[in-house]
């Protein structure tokens, strides 16, 4: 049988609410970073490096400021929930907004 302390360690509705809030933060910041990259005219690898640098900063802020350095208190798989999983989900939103803003700003170049 599973250890009862491990079984009742997380309250599932709260974990889901935390995951939803984390997803919203990552999505909104990817839109903002994508807008900045498009307006700045970043192209190619510079745009992806810009995304990765900002993603690392946002994930570190969430990890150390919001989770107080203890993500295992708020999420089941701790670090992967805060940093790893949202990376690929937000990358698609970032690329969409990045290319849209770049096309709108530099349409006649």
């Amino acid at each position: 049988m599973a250890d009862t302390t491990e079984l009742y360690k997380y309250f599932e509705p709260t974990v889901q609410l935390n995951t939803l809030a984390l997803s919203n933060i990552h999505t909104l910041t990817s839109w903002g970073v994508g807008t900045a990259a498009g307006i700045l005219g970043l192209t190619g690898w510079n745009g992806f490096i810009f995304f990765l640098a900002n993603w690392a900063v946002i994930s570190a802020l969430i990890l150390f400021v919001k989770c107080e350095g203890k993500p295992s208190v708020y999420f089941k798989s701790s670090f992967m929930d805060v940093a790893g999983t949202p990376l690929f989900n937000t990358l698609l939103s970032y690329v969409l907004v990045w290319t849209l803003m770049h096309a709108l700003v530099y349409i006649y170049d």
Side-chain angles (χ1 to χ4, degrees), residues 24-55:
N24 289 340
I25 290 170
H26 276 291
T27 300
L28 291 174
T29 56
S30 72
W31 290 352
V33 170
T35 301
I39 291 172
L40 291 173
L42 299 177
T43 58
W45 288 110
N46 291 335
F48 286 109
I49 292 170
F50 186 71
F51 169 75
L52 288 175
N54 282 293
W55 171 80

Side-chain angles (χ1 to χ4, degrees), residues 17-92:
L17 188 65
N18 292 342
T19 305
L20 178 65
L22 182 69
S23 175
N24 289 340
I25 290 170
H26 276 291
T27 300
L28 291 174
T29 56
S30 72
W31 290 352
V33 170
T35 301
I39 291 172
L40 291 173
L42 299 177
T43 58
W45 288 110
N46 291 335
F48 286 109
I49 292 170
F50 186 71
F51 169 75
L52 288 175
N54 282 293
W55 171 80
V57 168
I58 295 300
S59 294
L61 284 173
I62 292 169
L63 183 65
F64 293 113
V65 174
K66 296 298 285 180
C67 293
E68 301 167 348
K70 301 174 203 160
S72 61
V73 173
Y74 304 99
F75 303 101
K76 286 185 178 179
S77 62
S78 66
F79 180 75
M80 285 307 294
D81 277 343
V82 174
T85 305
L87 174 66
F88 299 108
N89 296 338
T90 58
L91 180 63
L92 297 175

